[in-house]
Each structure stands twice: as C-alpha cells, then as structure tokens.
C-alpha cells in the first residue's frame, strides 16, 4: 500500500511539472507570435491533439507491459482509408453509408491489435519486430484492398461537413473532441488502476515471470493490452478523419512515434510496470504545443523547415525523458541495495 501511495505521489509531481512546462511553452510561443493564442489557432491545435491523445492512451497499456506498438499510426490511417473505400464515402455520401464506416474502422483497429497481441504473446516475437511487421502489413494490405475496390490510387474522401464533423471534431464551433478525450481518459484510468485487467498488465510489466508464477495468464493479458491499443487506434481514426476528410495511406506518417513519445514524456516507464494515463495526455499536449508553436514562429520565411526542427526537439525531449526514467530506476535500485546491506549489518550485530 505504501509503495502504491509513493508511486501515485511521484506520478502527481511529474504531472504537475509537465503542466508547468506546457504553460511555460504556451507563454513563450505567445510572446514570440501573439496569434498563437488566437481562437483559430487553439481550435487547430485541439483538432491536432485529439487523435494523438487517443493513440497515446491506447499505447500506454502496451508500454505498461514492457512492450511497444509501432503499427498504431498505419492502422489508424489504414482503417479509415479501407472503410472509406468500402463505403464509397464522399461529399455526396448517404448518411447510412457513412455510418457504416464507424464499425468498420473500429473492427479493423481491434483486429490488428489482436494480431499484434497474438504475435507477441503466443508466437513470442519481440514487440518491436512484431509491430514493425504489422505496420508494413497494415499499410500495404489496406492500400491494395482500397485500390481494388475503388480502381484508383487517389485519396479517399469523406464529407467535409455534416454530422460526422459535429460528432467527432467541431460542434457548432466547440471542439467536441476534447469531451471525448476526457471521457476516454476517465475510462482508461478506471481500467488501469481499478480493474483486474490494469493490475495484471502492470504486474506483467513489473516482472512477467513473477506474474506468471503467481497464477496470472500473462499471454491473455498481453493480448488484451494490444487489443486495447488497436481499438484506440481505430477510435483515433474517427477523429483524424473528421478533421482531415481527404486521406491516403501516407497520411499521418509518424503518428505512432508521436504517440509513443507522448507516453514516454508523460512518465510511463519505458520498461513497463508503471503507467500514468494523465501523463500520456499531457505528453501529447506538450508535443502539439511545440509543433504548432514552431510552425508559427518559423512561418516568416526563416529558411529552415519547422517540421525538421520539431523532429529534432522531440527527439531530445524523448531521450531526456527516457534518461530520467533510467536514472530514477537506478536510484531506486541503489536505495534497495543499501537498505538490504544495512539490514544485514544490523542482523550481524
């Protein structure tokens, strides 16, 4: 109980630091470019944040097991492209047809999540290799199927206005996606911290062999973790598609890296066993602020690509976050060793 309390306290402190960092970054970019705080830019950032935040929530469960999922970005876009091709969406799409895209997108994400879980848990393939293969497979498969169905390789188009946008991105000027993110965050927190599924996932990440010996079906809960991740990739696709109604299989390249980076920045342990759901959201917020801030700050013809600078800054932040996690673990291990030695000395006396 004491260990759990200390973990929650440390997580709370880290989240507070991230919030302060986000506020500081927002203030700096607003000073550099006052339009950064404009209503239009805030709405743009919100549309960008929502799918990345949802992807981060899903992949948090996988990283908590000590694994990783590199396929979530292509599964996210691929499921939307596939659903759009199957349902022949477009400006003139009937509402009944457009509704069908939702179960297709969610099912596609879930299937790829289950596939990843099976490869990692049952086939004992390293998560990096298994999900890298799934990433390439999902991209190629969905592209081929959509080309066969549509007999063209041009972009799949969704309606740019209508109920789809009102439900998933912009409800009469209000960024409704934030409400969805809040609801999904609460659900993930309950699952992670208050249910057997979350406790077993964290136990696997902490020490898989010990979890197995204690009677936990580690394969089953690994598959569940990857299934959750895949389902959330499908959910993220709904919001990405509503904000970006013209899609091709190359849309959103690198989404999986941003999602994983957000989780690491948020404080979830890179080796598993400890996860902070709120931290994953805050990490995604930090990345969106940096990306949009640099885009605006360097929009005056500086001669350097803001995208490339963003990649460099994100890389530095991620490495720093991982390094802090390693140092924290090493410090904790040293404290445990020192306590054990003190106990031994006391016993001798």
């Amino acid at each position: 109980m004491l260990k759990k309390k200390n973990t929650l306290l440390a997580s709370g402190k880290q989240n507070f630091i991230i919030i302060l960092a986000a506020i500081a970054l927002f203030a700096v970019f607003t000073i550099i470019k006052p339009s950064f705080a404009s209503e239009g830019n805030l709405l743009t950032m919100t549309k960008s944040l929502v799918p990345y935040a949802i992807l981060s929530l899903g992949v948090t469960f996988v990283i908590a097991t000590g694994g990783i999922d590199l396929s979530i970005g292509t599964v996210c876009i691929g499921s939307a492209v596939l659903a759009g091709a199957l349902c022949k969406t477009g400006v003139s799409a009937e509402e009944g047809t457009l509704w069908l895209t939702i179960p297709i997108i969610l099912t596609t994400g879930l299937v790829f999540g289950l596939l990843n879980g099976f490869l990692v848990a049952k086939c004992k393939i390293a998560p990096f290799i298994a999900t890298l293969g799934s990433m390439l497979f999902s991209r190629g498969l969905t592209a081929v199927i959509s080309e066969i169905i549509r007999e063209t390789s041009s972009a799949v188009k969704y309606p740019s206005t209508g109920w789809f946008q009102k439900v998933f991105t912009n409800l009469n000027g209000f960024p409704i996606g934030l409400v969805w993110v809040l609801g999904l965050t609460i659900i993930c927190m309950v699952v992670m911290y208050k249910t057997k599924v979350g406790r077993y996932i964290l136990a696997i990440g902490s020490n898989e062999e010990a979890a197995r010996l204690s009677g936990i079906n580690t394969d089953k809960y690994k598959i569940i973790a990857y299934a959750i991740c895949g389902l959330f990739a499908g959910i993220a696709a709904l919001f990405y598609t509503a904000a970006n109604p013209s899609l091709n299989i190359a849309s959103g390249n690198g989404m999986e890296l941003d999602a994983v980076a957000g989780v690491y920045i948020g404080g979830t342990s890179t080796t598993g066993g400890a996860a902070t759901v709120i931290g994953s959201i805050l990490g995604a917020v930090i990345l969106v602020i940096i990306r949009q801030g640099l885009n605006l700050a360097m929009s005056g013809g500086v001669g350097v690509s803001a995208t490339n600078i963003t990649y460099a800054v994100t890389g530095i932040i991620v490495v720093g976050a991982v390094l802090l996690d390693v140092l924290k673990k090493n410090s904790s291990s040293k404290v445990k060793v020192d306590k054990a030695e003190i106990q031994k000395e006391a016993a001798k006396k």
Side-chain angles (χ1 to χ4, degrees):
M1 179 65 89
L2 183 60
K3 182 180 178 182
K4 183 178 180 181
K5 185 177 180 180
N6 290 337
T7 301
L8 292 174
L9 184 62
S11 176
K13 288 181 179 178
Q14 187 159 350
N15 289 341
F16 181 69
I17 292 172
I18 296 173
I19 291 172
L20 290 180
I23 293 172
L25 285 169
F26 189 90
V28 168
F29 285 124
T30 300
I31 293 171
I32 296 173
K33 204 79 171 180
S35 60
F36 182 77
S38 67
E39 182 179 345
N41 187 59
L42 291 177
L43 186 58
T44 299
M45 286 198 294
T46 300
K47 288 180 179 179
S48 175
L49 168 67
V50 171
Y52 287 103
I54 294 173
L55 284 176
S56 294
L57 285 175
V59 81
T60 299
F61 286 86
V62 168
I63 293 176
T65 67
I68 195 169
D69 191 343
L70 298 178
S71 70
I72 50 176
T74 54
V75 169
C76 172
I77 301 301
S79 60
V81 170
L82 178 62
L86 287 170
C87 298
K88 302 185 185 302
T89 56
V91 176
S92 61
E94 298 179 1
E95 288 195 4
T97 302
L98 192 56
W99 271 111
L100 288 175
T101 62
I102 297 176
I104 293 173
I105 288 172
L106 297 180
T107 301
T108 302
L110 180 60
V111 167
F112 274 104
L114 290 170
L115 173 62
N116 285 331
F118 177 79
L119 292 175
V120 172
K122 295 298 185 181
C123 299
K124 307 303 178 185
I125 300 175
F128 183 90
I129 301 300
T131 58
L132 177 62
S134 295
M135 178 181 74
L136 300 174
F137 176 68
S138 62
R139 173 175 293 180
L141 180 66
T142 52
V144 169
I145 292 175
S146 63
E147 285 181 18
I148 291 173
I149 294 171
R150 299 168 63 246
E151 298 180 350
T152 176
S153 59
S154 62
V156 171
K157 295 185 181 297
Y158 282 75
S160 58
T161 58
W163 67 265
F164 199 71
Q165 279 66 34
K166 290 182 179 180
V167 172
F168 295 115
T169 183
N170 190 338
L171 180 60
N172 300 323
F174 178 76
I176 192 66
L178 291 180
V179 177
W180 284 92
V181 169
L182 177 61
L184 291 170
T185 301
I186 293 172
I187 292 172
C188 287
M189 290 179 69
V190 171
V191 173
M192 183 69 81
Y193 306 127
K194 298 296 183 180
T195 69
K196 180 173 69 175
V197 171
R199 290 194 297 270
Y200 285 1
I201 284 174
L202 291 172
I204 291 169
S206 181
N207 190 325
E208 183 175 350
E209 183 61 18
R212 187 184 65 80
L213 292 175
S214 66
I216 296 174
N217 186 338
T218 56
D219 288 352
K220 173 184 174 181
Y221 288 96
K222 274 189 178 182
I223 291 174
I224 290 175
Y226 281 92
I228 292 172
C229 187
L231 179 61
F232 271 68
I235 296 172
L238 298 173
F239 295 90
Y240 187 90
T241 303
N244 305 275
S246 181
L247 295 171
N248 59 54
I249 201 63
S251 300
N253 278 343
M255 290 181 71
E256 63 283 339
L257 300 180
D258 284 340
V260 170
V263 175
Y264 287 156
I265 292 169
T268 293
S269 175
T270 56
T271 55
T276 164
V277 173
I278 293 179
S280 296
I281 298 296
L282 295 176
V285 170
I286 289 282
L287 291 179
V288 169
I289 290 175
I290 291 173
R291 183 186 301 111
Q292 189 66 12
L294 289 174
N295 283 335
L296 284 178
M298 304 180 70
S299 61
V302 180
V304 179
S305 170
T307 301
N308 293 333
I309 296 296
T310 302
Y311 284 142
V313 172
T314 302
I316 293 171
I317 293 173
V318 170
V319 170
V322 173
L323 181 60
L324 286 175
D325 181 60
V326 171
L327 292 174
K328 184 167 62 176
K329 284 183 176 295
N330 289 341
S331 176
S332 177
S333 299
K334 185 178 179 181
V335 169
K336 289 180 180 179
V337 171
D338 290 343
K339 284 184 177 179
E341 291 178 351
I342 290 172
Q343 290 174 351
K344 286 182 181 179
E345 291 295 327
K348 289 179 181 180
K349 294 178 180 179

